[in-house]
Amino acid sequence: MAVTLKEYPRDVLAAQPIGAWTGLAQRLVVGALREQLAVEGLTQPHWWTLNHAAGAPGRWTRAALVERLTPWDDQGTDFDAVFDDLVDRGWLTENSGEGVGEGSVKAGGMTLTPEGEAGRLRAAERNAGVHRKVHEGVDADDFATTVDVLRRIVANMGGDGDLPR
């Protein structure tokens, strides 16, 4: 159920502090996602790892994934502890080197186990609920415009405005 917002003139909205609003939105959205992941005993770095391993089985090594994820991490995560936790749960395996060279499989490349995929799917459904809530009352075109505007702001401030790979 979409919340009704008070209407303001465009010039009043345009004068609002973007950092305050994006910061508040980030804290609320990320907080809701982290809360849902915690139900599964996961953190965001667990979630990122599961998705990368699922999207490219055997491709991501620890070093490559740390390099990829570190720019998105805001908690000083010990990624090796995250990877070890997923291995200890039986959700993730790392290739020993056998079969390396076939396609994109690398020595040490991570692959989800069936249990890991099941956990990833449970977490995905929890996250989908948060995403549905975020999108309530927001037109898809408006959402896309907002993301594009934020990409421009990030680029203007010296950051990488490209979409994550």
Side-chain angles (χ1 to χ4, degrees), residues 88-131:
D88 290 347
R89 290 178 193 219
W91 286 25
L92 187 70
T93 61
E94 295 174 280
N95 299 324
S96 62
E98 288 185 34
V100 170
E102 300 173 22
S104 61
V105 174
K106 297 180 181 179
M110 300 176 189
T111 304
L112 294 187
T113 65
E115 295 82 6
E117 178 61 6
R120 187 187 74 80
L121 291 174
R122 285 191 310 273
E125 184 51 39
R126 292 185 172 288
N127 281 349
V130 173
H131 288 282

